[in-house]
Structures are given as structure tokens and as C-alpha cells.
Amino acid sequence: MTLLNPSAVYAKRRAAIGRALQAAGGGVALLPTAPELVRNRDADFPYRHDSYFYYLTGFDEPGAWLVISASGKAGQRGKAAQGTIQSTLFCRPKDLEREIWDGIRLGPEAAPAALGVDAAFSLDVLDEQMPALLANQPAVWFPFATHKGLETQVDGWLNKVRAKARQGVECPHSQHDLCRLLDEMRLFKDAHEIAILRRAGQISAGAHVRAMQTSAAMLRAGKTGPGSVKDGLREYHLEAELLHEFRRHGAQFPAYTSIVAAGANACVLHYRAGNAELHPGQLCLIDAGCELDGYASDITRTFPADGKFSPAQRILYDIVQASQEAAVAVTRPGQRFNDPHDAATRVLIEGMLDTGLLAKTKHGNVDDVLASGVYKQFYMHRTGHWMGMDVHDCGDYTEPGSAPQDSGEKDAQGQPLLKKPSRILQPGMVLTVEPGLYVRPAKGVPKKFWDIGIRIEDDALVTAQGCELLTRGVPVKSSEIEALMR
Ligand code: GLY
Ligand code: MN
Ligand code: MN
């Protein structure tokens, strides 16, 4: 087990959840970490903790539960809280035999000092202790629909509490989704999280630089020169460079399966690095980022495999890059989550009309194309998502407390579709900005653009003034990419 961070950070977050429970009338929050998963026969997938659990504990061993019990009232307007907030951890007991095989366990005896929890028990007594923790509590909070079998487990504990009704024990009479509280907290990154996200972004940017430089060097070397690869440069060679760079800087995992797409493969949005050969004259799209200490990064760059854009590639690349600039310019407090998407889409559509990807005579102007949606032939995804512990992080995309309004779209019956307005950006939020263009061969599409797929993606932290791009350690302008690869 690695304790990467001072336990005070997590104690502060647990206290915030405790206060939220108190504000809702008191109760108990319970939260398991993720299970270990078998990959095949005796081999497990590398263990990855549950993000919510880690957010509140900093504890990355499997077989653990956190319980936060909050009684009494939250403090109001400067008044101290009346009541108590207690956190209890259940974790795997010390076991010399298992530790010889699997590694050291923290154990319940050491947990309070190491993690700052008030009490800790062995996982062996979970079923015994949980009904006692739930007894006489007004409400139970746990993550809904995220852990297989959790609802059944909670039902079992509640039944044990209810069985003591004649002895005067009361059973929680309401259940709430703990994710509701945690999602909103996790949407706003604290200083501790921002520091890790910055570092994750730097490492990933360095990995993209390394992949670009390797690509140019290996193609220059050909199949026989020094540093050459006999069977040609393949997508997996560049994936290996990324993984090398992630790991050598201490990142534990890729945050998601790396995409390394040669040429036309870039038009497959969820392509995985395969064994396709990269040729001079082709573009290569890499969408890859590391996970560092539980936090993701998410970068896409598209570059010429041999370091020089062809005229057609450069035209489309510069359109995507301009669209990203337009999106970044509106990634600031007070704008809405959808604004970067809308800004990028307008620039992309202008580009589609200027280049003849869409014929002006047939499709009209930018507003006509926006209304018809015909641009989705070349740009079919959204421009970003929240990012944090999970690459597609939690957090509401619509403004909490706002009323649904006419979205301008129609439902299946042709009636106006009501939607809540998109989320207002605030400092501390982290989102990606990732426009793209994907040109599959099709009638009416200029041939010189066929099979070109381009995406550019950076991670943006919303600040008081605008945004800070966490991933700009790798160049983004076509001329700068060429200079790097020279
Ligand atoms: N790499 C996943 C994404 O860009 O959303
Ligand atoms: Mn992304
Ligand atoms: Mn990505």
C-alpha cells in the first residue's frame, strides 16, 4: 500500500461529507472500494481503487469500506456544529501468509494513525458491525448503481436492524445516493488535486513529445539505418514510447487505453493502438494520457508521421487548431459548459464550407449547417467532458437548480425538447477541449481529404481569469509540431 498524500486532505473531505449529512438531518454514509477483478485464470487485472473511496481516504488497498456517521446539526452562520462526525474504516486484517504472497497490508490497528479515521475494524466483522452503525440513524447514504450487489448487502444490514424493533431500535427510514454529494464536491478540484493534475498533464505531454520525435527518427532511419525497425514503424512502437514515459515518471497506469492511429485508423473514434504500419506522408493520431496518483490526463495530438504536413493535411489541421483556440477562448468563468463546443463547431463548419467538404451551394451558410446538422458527417462528438480522478469525470453537466427550458431541439413526437441549461463554468472545474475532423471516403468529398482524421485535445483548469491548459508541454500549432519533429 502506498500512502501518497497527507491524511489531512482526506479528513477535510470526510468532514465536508459529514456536514452535508448533518445538514440533511444526520445519518450514515457507507462506501466500498472497488473489487479485485480476475483477468483470466490466476491472473488479475492490475488493481485500481474506487475513485469515490480514494477521494475520501487516500487508501488504495482492495477489501475496504468507509463509514461516515454524522449526528446532530451542522453549524450555521458562524456557529459551531452541534453533534459528531465519526469515520470508521473496515480493511483487510494483517495476515502474514497472505502478505508473503500479495504484499504488506495496512491492517486495522495501524489505520487510524495512518489515515486519520476515528476507528478501524477488520473486514471480517463488517456484517456484524454495520447493523450497529446503522441502528437509530435516520438515513443511510451509499452510491447507487455503481457497485454490484451493494443494494442487497445494505438491505441485509437494514433487515438486521429492523429485527431489533421490539427492543426499541430504529431503522433508517430513508436512503439517498451518496454520489449526489460526492459528484458535486469532486467537480471542484482542490489545491491538492490541481497539483497532481498539473503533474499528470506534464508527464503525458512529455510522452506525446517522445512519440512524435520517435516517429520522425524511426521513419528517417528507414528499415535498415541506426535506430530503425526492421518490420517498419508500427502503432505499437509509439504506444510503447508512451508507456515508457508514463512509467518512468512514476505514473501508475494509462488513464484509459491509448489510441495510436495510423492514417485512416484515426477516423475510428475508439481505435486502440494496433499493429498498423506508419508510412511517411501519413498522419498519426495519438489520444493518450497517464494516471498519476489517482488522477487522469487526456491529450490528443495529430502529427505527420515523418514530421511534415502535406498541403491537404495542413489545411484541415489548421482548421481544427483554430477551432480549439476558439473553444479555449470561451473556457472561462461565467461561460457555460456547452459554449466551447458551440464555438469550436462554428469554426469547424466554416472550415468545412471553405474547403468544400460541404458544398456551400447545397448546404448554405454556417447557421444553415448548424441547423441541419449535416456537419456531423465530419464532426460527430462533443468538444469536451469533465476530467479528474476519472478521465470522464463525474459532475452535473447542467446547472443545478435551474428549470428546464426549450432547447431548440425536438423530441420523438416533434414537440419542443425541454432541457436544463448547461453548467456555468467556475474556477476549479477541469474539462477537456477536444475538437476534431474525420473525413471518410464519400461521394462529393474532395479526394485529397479522404482518410484524414484529426483531433486536438488539451485539459483545461478553469481559473478566476480564464483557464490554464495543463497539457501544453507538447506543441499544438502545425509549424511548432514540424519544428519539434525536425
Ligand atoms: N480519451 C478519451 C476521451 O478523449 O474522451
Ligand atoms: Mn477526452
Ligand atoms: Mn482523449
Side-chain angles (χ1 to χ4, degrees):
M1 103 110 215
T2 43
L3 244 192
L4 298 158
N5 306 295
S7 63
V9 169
Y10 304 101
K12 205 169 148 198
R13 295 180 192 154
R14 289 194 297 271
I17 289 294
R19 285 193 301 275
L21 297 188
Q22 286 179 324
V28 173
L30 51 94
L31 180 60
T33 193
E36 292 175 282
L37 291 176
V38 175
R39 183 175 184 274
N40 53 320
R41 186 95 43 155
D42 287 340
D44 284 353
F45 281 106
Y47 181 69
R48 168 54 159 77
H49 54 258
D50 175 79
S51 296
Y52 293 117
F53 179 85
Y54 189 79
Y55 182 72
L56 293 178
T57 60
F59 187 50
D60 63 2
E61 280 188 30
W65 289 69
L66 175 70
V67 180
I68 299 175
S69 314
S71 67
K73 288 197 167 59
Q76 278 171 346
R77 296 221 182 92
K79 286 202 191 137
Q82 299 166 338
T84 55
I85 298 171
Q86 291 276 325
S87 52
T88 306
L89 185 87
F90 292 87
C91 61
R92 299 179 307 179
K94 295 294 284 178
D95 179 333
L96 183 59
E97 170 71 11
R98 284 313 327 156
E99 289 180 56
I100 287 170
W101 289 90
D102 302 331
I104 301 289
R105 298 176 174 190
L106 178 65
E109 294 79 12
L115 304 174
V117 291
D118 298 300
F121 296 98
S122 163
L123 187 63
D124 297 340
V125 297
L126 180 75
D127 282 330
E128 199 179 291
Q129 290 290 324
M130 205 62 105
L133 287 163
L134 289 166
N136 298 316
Q137 293 282 354
V140 56
W141 297 67
F142 58 93
F144 286 5
T146 49
H147 297 262
K148 207 164 166 220
L150 178 58
E151 285 80 1
T152 312
Q153 255 175 311
V154 174
D155 282 351
W157 295 325
L158 292 177
N159 272 331
K160 283 192 182 168
V161 181
R162 220 171 271 130
K164 294 194 171 156
R166 267 168 285 169
Q167 295 155 44
V169 176
E170 285 187 50
C171 186
H173 47 74
S174 63
Q175 301 186 10
H176 306 274
D177 188 3
L178 183 59
C179 297
R180 245 180 59 205
L181 299 180
L182 284 169
D183 288 354
E184 188 63 13
M185 262 177 87
R186 281 178 52 191
L187 183 54
F188 295 88
K189 275 63 180 175
D190 61 31
H192 172 86
E193 299 184 284
I194 289 169
I196 304 174
L197 285 163
R198 275 201 189 106
R199 179 78 189 122
Q202 274 168 5
I203 295 171
S204 296
H208 279 257
V209 167
R210 184 182 177 105
M212 285 180 191
Q213 289 179 326
T214 302
S215 181
M218 285 168 84
L219 284 184
R220 269 200 296 271
K223 294 194 183 181
T224 53
S228 64
V229 178
K230 201 158 65 43
D231 295 329
L233 172 62
R234 295 183 183 269
E235 292 164 341
Y236 58 73
H237 289 126
L238 298 186
E239 183 188 23
E241 298 299 321
L242 299 166
L243 295 175
H244 176 92
E245 197 68 11
F246 293 167
R247 205 65 187 108
R248 101 190 170 89
H249 289 290
Q252 291 82 354
F253 311 101
Y256 52 92
T257 307
S258 305
I259 296 172
V260 181
N265 292 340
C267 295
V268 179
L269 297 180
H270 288 165
Y271 185 81
R272 305 275 157 94
N275 59 5
E277 191 175 346
L278 281 144
H279 300 286
Q282 263 183 338
L283 289 179
C284 176
L285 182 154
I286 296 185
D287 183 346
C290 70
E291 179 178 303
L292 176 73
D293 299 350
Y295 286 82
S297 51
D298 186 6
I299 306 183
T300 308
R301 288 293 183 269
T302 310
F303 57 90
D306 58 355
K308 183 101 188 94
F309 285 95
S310 73
Q313 290 166 352
R314 188 187 304 272
I315 288 170
L316 295 193
Y317 186 90
D318 289 346
I319 291 168
V320 178
Q321 198 252 313
S323 78
Q324 200 211 24
E325 255 177 36
V328 168
V330 293
T331 303
R332 53 184 153 85
Q335 298 286 143
R336 291 193 182 267
F337 174 81
N338 279 346
D339 291 340
H341 176 72
D342 295 343
T345 305
R346 287 195 80 85
V347 176
L348 291 171
I349 292 173
E350 268 166 30
M352 291 174 204
L353 293 167
D354 289 346
T355 53
L357 284 176
L358 293 176
K360 286 181 185 162
T361 45
K362 184 165 168 202
H363 297 292
N365 63 21
V366 173
D367 290 321
D368 299 327
V369 173
L370 259 178
S372 70
V374 69
Y375 67 88
K376 290 179 188 163
Q377 180 182 353
F378 306 110
Y379 184 47
M380 60 299 279
H381 59 76
R382 304 285 303 175
T383 304
H385 50 82
W386 304 131
M387 200 201 69
M389 302 187 102
D390 299 311
V391 64
H392 290 179
D393 211 30
C394 58
D396 229 330
Y397 284 95
T398 56
E399 189 59 24
S402 57
Q405 299 170 358
D406 187 347
S407 64
E409 297 166 50
K410 300 268 189 271
D411 67 13
Q413 282 75 42
Q415 297 303 309
L417 184 66
L418 300 184
K419 282 187 183 171
K420 281 183 164 189
S422 106
R423 188 88 196 222
I424 297 172
L425 298 179
Q426 293 181 52
M429 294 174 166
V430 174
L431 63 157
T432 64
V433 187
E434 49 177 307
L437 275 179
Y438 311 89
V439 186
R440 287 168 175 274
K443 212 166 135 239
V445 174
K447 229 173 182 168
K448 62 181 175 179
F449 297 130
W450 284 14
D451 289 328
I452 294 180
I454 295 164
R455 180 164 63 257
I456 303 174
E457 175 174 28
D458 284 287
D459 305 339
L461 164 69
V462 182
T463 60
Q465 291 79 30
C467 72
E468 172 188 337
L469 296 174
L470 306 172
T471 42
R472 278 294 170 88
V474 53
V476 71
K477 288 194 172 143
S478 51
S479 57
E480 289 168 0
I481 288 176
E482 286 183 336
L484 176 82
M485 295 180 74
R486 238 171 342 248

